[in-house]
Amino acid sequence: MSAGWNTIESDAGVFTYLINNLGVKDVQFEELVSLDATFLRQRGPVYGVIFLFKYPTGEARHETPLDGTFDYEAAENRFFAAQTIQNACGTQALLSVLLNKEDSIDIGPKLQEFKDFTGAFPADLRGEALSNSELIRNVHNSFARASPFADEAQRLATEEEDVYHFIAYTAINGRLYELDGLQAAPISHGSCEAEEFADKVIPVLQRRIERYPAQEIRFNLMAMVRDLRIRAREIGDQDWLYQEEQKRNAWQWENALRRHNFIGFTGEILKGVVGSKLGEGGKKYSEWVGDAEAKTKKRFDERRKVGGEADENAL
């Protein structure tokens, strides 16, 4: 088992440029803020959706799925990889869609080579091959947030921590599949042609979310779609095209910030401010520190007061 996979965010800009850097052409991700089949269809063609949810660590493993049925034949003749390493499930979910859509998506020579190489492997060996792919691991890690304090690749989650997991849904050869590397095989949710995907996947997602308590809201859903700039150009909508280009620029800026470690920069700013106050002489520095401490205490007291009032109202 390979090590060295860092945590990445569930973010449309991260996922779009991640697959772009793997060689995929004309595909992007769009965050879905509601389970609305009409909204999803409007982003079409939709190749699949990526669903992030809190993983029920205390739940016993089931021999059969809670929804749908295992399709063991699909595990052999479709791209399905067992998850063999932590932190890789986001990228694995993306690949579970991409490597089953090479008839409609240009996945590029590197991913095509990887799929051809692993085509005859069972699911567990495909998972090992994925986790040991230097290309995929390096691209994945290039989108992790820089952290000078912790090595995410080596840190294991404790029982007290919330654990989150990515899975994929996509239509393959007339059936709707749930692709989860922690399951024994792809889970079939019945017949589904590509043009029916939006209408068929939404009820499946709704049933999945309904398993959780009503107050649980920590979900994230993203659609893998054709580059929306292509559609904007096709219909001649310059305003839409401009908005999409601006969105790409923002994604690139945010991805650049993720790679940068700001600890040194912050330290230099702090040293400059402190030096400036000390240079003013007299009691300026101590007054500045005292004022900051007083403001901080005031904010804590206000928060404590609000929290106390909320508790009293709850009672």
Side-chain angles (χ1 to χ4, degrees):
M1 179 182 294
S2 172
W5 291 74
N6 293 310
T7 302
I8 62 172
E9 295 177 57
S10 180
D11 178 84
V14 168
F15 285 179
T16 297
Y17 279 97
L18 189 156
I19 64 173
N20 181 265
N21 289 356
L22 286 172
V24 178
K25 302 290 194 302
D26 299 333
V27 176
Q28 75 175 69
F29 286 85
E30 281 288 292
E31 186 170 2
L32 304 177
V33 296
S34 65
L35 295 177
D36 186 339
T38 300
F39 180 83
L40 184 56
R41 278 197 304 274
Q42 291 172 345
R43 268 62 190 160
V46 181
Y47 304 119
V49 295
I50 308 300
F51 183 51
L52 173 69
F53 60 96
K54 181 181 175 183
Y55 190 76
T57 53
E59 185 178 286
R61 184 177 290 271
H62 300 275
E63 293 186 3
T64 58
L66 296 177
D67 190 17
T69 57
F70 282 132
D71 186 339
Y72 290 97
E73 183 179 353
E76 300 300 323
N77 54 34
R78 307 286 181 266
F79 182 84
F80 177 76
Q83 185 177 328
T84 62
I85 190 168
Q86 69 172 16
N87 295 338
C89 59
T91 295
Q92 183 161 334
L94 310 183
L95 295 178
S96 294
V97 176
L98 290 169
L99 298 186
N100 284 299
K101 292 287 185 179
E102 75 270 31
D103 58 337
S104 54
I105 295 176
D106 181 356
I107 62 174
K110 296 297 184 182
L111 287 184
Q112 188 62 59
E113 180 182 341
F114 176 79
K115 181 177 181 180
D116 293 342
F117 174 70
T118 60
F121 291 2
D124 57 341
L125 286 185
R126 284 196 195 117
E128 288 292 344
L130 195 159
S131 67
N132 283 286
S133 168
E134 185 175 351
L135 167 70
I136 298 172
R137 183 175 66 247
N138 287 345
V139 172
H140 168 102
N141 284 343
S142 71
F143 289 90
R145 284 192 179 276
S147 173
F149 303 117
D151 182 0
E152 286 288 334
Q154 304 298 331
R155 188 180 69 84
L156 297 175
T158 65
E159 292 184 2
E160 292 77 21
E161 289 182 291
D162 290 334
V163 178
Y164 294 88
H165 184 52
F166 292 91
I167 60 176
Y169 293 88
T170 189
I172 309 171
N173 288 355
R175 300 201 70 79
L176 174 59
Y177 283 106
E178 175 183 328
L179 302 172
D180 179 355
L182 296 180
Q183 298 292 339
I187 298 173
S188 172
H189 291 282
S191 63
C192 179
E193 297 300 329
E195 59 272 14
E196 300 176 301
F197 177 73
D199 294 297
K200 293 290 184 73
V201 75
I202 294 299
V204 175
L205 290 166
Q206 288 172 329
R207 292 195 298 270
R208 177 103 195 193
I209 292 173
E210 286 169 0
R211 298 181 203 169
Y212 289 83
Q215 65 270 21
E216 179 59 68
I217 60 171
R218 290 170 292 182
F219 303 103
N220 184 260
L221 184 64
M222 282 188 290
M224 182 188 293
V225 302
R226 187 177 65 156
D227 188 336
L228 294 176
R229 296 174 299 179
I230 297 175
R231 177 77 178 278
R233 292 189 186 101
E234 289 174 345
I235 65 176
D237 191 330
Q238 295 301 314
D239 289 339
W240 186 14
L241 178 59
Y242 176 77
Q243 291 172 6
E244 290 301 320
E245 293 287 3
Q246 290 298 104
K247 183 165 62 179
R248 293 286 180 132
N249 291 337
W251 283 347
Q252 288 181 310
W253 171 248
E254 291 164 3
N255 288 337
L257 292 180
R258 286 184 178 92
R259 298 187 182 99
H260 190 75
N261 176 2
F262 287 94
I263 298 300
F265 174 76
T266 304
E268 291 301 316
I269 291 289
L270 184 58
K271 286 193 292 185
V273 172
V274 170
S276 175
K277 289 297 179 181
L278 290 172
E280 292 179 11
K283 297 182 178 180
K284 291 292 185 180
Y285 176 74
S286 57
E287 289 173 355
W288 174 62
V289 172
D291 184 53
E293 290 175 343
K295 289 180 179 179
T296 301
K297 184 179 184 302
K298 181 180 178 181
R299 285 197 296 269
F300 275 117
D301 290 343
E302 289 173 348
R303 290 177 185 172
R304 192 176 296 112
K305 181 180 178 181
V306 172
E309 291 174 352
D311 292 340
E312 290 174 4
N313 292 333
L315 293 174

